[in-house]
């Protein structure tokens, strides 16, 4: 069930309670259990073999190429392979992970197969009976935000996080479907969950499935210790970063910053068309570090003091239980918009679509980041005035969603399921 978004500017958009709620240190409670499960009855005739076939195909496919249209058929199997919870981080506060990021690994966005009356359970890897029932009219699939899957302490932020995550989930499905020769066509907006179909792709099979496209596997293969990536490896590797020993937050390693080709691969991920209804009201702005110098996307250097202010504005100060070593980040992306103006001109639904669009755009960075051996953490928790003044944007704009990309020292602690 989707929940209506209530635009309360003071509470939801401005720096303050709304922003800091997302990063407040939380004592592990019931919300720390992300072992999930929708608790629904599996569909009797459901067979997991087609999903395994998609996973096997992804394990063979070189990133970022795409398979010929129709080579891996069943769209429901592709969705299952994309959303399946596949990684256990035994000591993590949120232990179970899919190949796309999710707020505290809660996966509040589920996919309904309307034509068959089924909903996919990412924890049990099954399509289950959907209490909503079947409806053969209109698009076959629909996203559904289950705000109740998000911890209660998020309060009124839950629908906002849900819409951001609709965009993240949709981009992930479009990217994985693109890899196996299908194309995602989204036809309806956020109010009842984005509705879509997966149809045989029309694009050149030799082209890139990932709209980012620019990560060069040959280049990756040439780097010591990095094997030539397949889609399977990219999806396995993808991570928002973490602290060792299950502590919350993300620890980043000191590094020399991005190579030009790596920055270019990440920037390319933010191009391309967004197949969503609604006007393109979300601006994307990036900052990248080379050595200890930060630069804007147009190459202009960023004053060190302003940069330090933006980095320090993210969440809480570094502490053993709050890893936010952002000064070691190598690339930042900000999806910004003026929600008050969008609401005044186009209505509340357009604000929701802007959030979905922001999620879509930021999620595009996940794949080239993994291809470059980096973690990519989506986050809302930057201070809006610090960011807008650094970027030279109007003060009315807000950071709908951002991404922090860098090198993580905490790898190899996961178990693949
Ligand atoms: C819409 C969205 C918002 C997020 N916001 C934050 C945030 O504010 N701070 C943060 O540290 N992580 C944030 N995350 C990252 C998640 O906490 C992370 O994806 C989750 O812990 C799962 O880890 P994994 O991505 O490595 O599987 C966000 C993720 C999503 C999808």
């Amino acid at each position: 069930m989707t929940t209506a978004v209530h635009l309360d500017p003071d509470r939801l958009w401005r720096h303050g309670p709304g922003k800091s709620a997302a990063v407040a240190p939380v004592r592990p409670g019931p919300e720390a259990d992300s072992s999930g499960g929708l608790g629904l009855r599996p569909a009797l005739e459901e067979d997991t073999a087609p999903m395994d076939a998609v996973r096997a195909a992804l394990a063979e496919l070189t990133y970022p190429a795409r398979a010929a249209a129709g080579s891996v058929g069943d769209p429901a199997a592709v969705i299952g392979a994309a959303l399946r919870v596949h990684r256990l981080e035994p000591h993590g506060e949120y232990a179970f992970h899919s190949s796309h990021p999710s707020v505290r690994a809660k996966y509040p966005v589920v996919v309904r197969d309307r034509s068959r009356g089924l909903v996919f359970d990412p924890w049990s890897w099954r399509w289950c009976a959907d209490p909503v029932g079947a409806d053969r009219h209109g698009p076959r699939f629909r996203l559904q935000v289950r705000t109740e899957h998000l911890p209660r302490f998020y309060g009124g932020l839950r629908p906002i996080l849900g819409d951001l995550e609709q965009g993240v989930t949709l981009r992930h499905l479009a990217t994985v479907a693109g890899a196996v020769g299908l194309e995602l066509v989204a036809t309806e907006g956020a109010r009842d969950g984005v509705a879509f179909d997966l149809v045989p792709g029309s694009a050149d099979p030799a082209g890139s499935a990932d709209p980012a496209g620019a990560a060069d596997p040959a280049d990756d293969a040439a780097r010591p210790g990095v094997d030539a990536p397949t889609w399977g490896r990219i999806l396995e590797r993808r991570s928002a970063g973490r602290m060792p020993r299950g502590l919350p937050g993300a620890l980043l390693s000191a590094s020399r910053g991005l190579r030009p080709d790596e920055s270019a691969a990440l920037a390319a991920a933010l191009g391309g068309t967004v197949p969503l209804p609604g006007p393109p009201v979300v601006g994307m702005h990036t900052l990248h570090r080379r050595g200890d110098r930060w630069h804007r996307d147009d190459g202009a250097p960023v004053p060190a003091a302003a940069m330090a202010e933006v980095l320090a504005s993210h969440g809480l100060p570094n502490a053993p239980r709050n890893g936010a070593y952002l000064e070691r980040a190598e690339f930042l992306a900000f999806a910004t918009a003026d929600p008050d103006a969008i609401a005044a001109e186009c209505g509340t639904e357009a604000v929701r679509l802007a959030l979905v669009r922001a999620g879509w755009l930021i999620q595009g960075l996940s794949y080239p980041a993994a291809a470059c051996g980096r973690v990519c953490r989506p986050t809302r928790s930057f201070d809006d005035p610090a960011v807008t003044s650094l970027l030279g944007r109007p003060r009315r704009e807000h950071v709908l969603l951002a991404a922090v990309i860098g090198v993580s020292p905490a790898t190899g602690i996961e178990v693949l399921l």
Side-chain angles (χ1 to χ4, degrees), residues 84-106:
R84 186 179 176 276
V85 166
H86 73 123
R87 196 174 78 215
L88 166 67
E89 294 175 5
H91 306 296
E93 199 164 13
Y94 305 99
F96 291 93
H97 299 253
S98 168
S99 54
H100 67 299
S102 171
V103 175
R104 297 191 190 246
K106 289 299 191 183

Side-chain angles (χ1 to χ4, degrees), residues 105-129:
K106 289 299 191 183
Y107 308 103
V109 176
V110 295
V111 181
R112 295 172 48 211
D113 182 342
R114 298 170 66 253
S115 65
R116 296 191 299 158
L118 301 177
V119 58
F120 186 72
D121 183 335
W123 291 274
S124 68
W125 308 339
R126 308 294 291 240
W127 287 91
C128 299

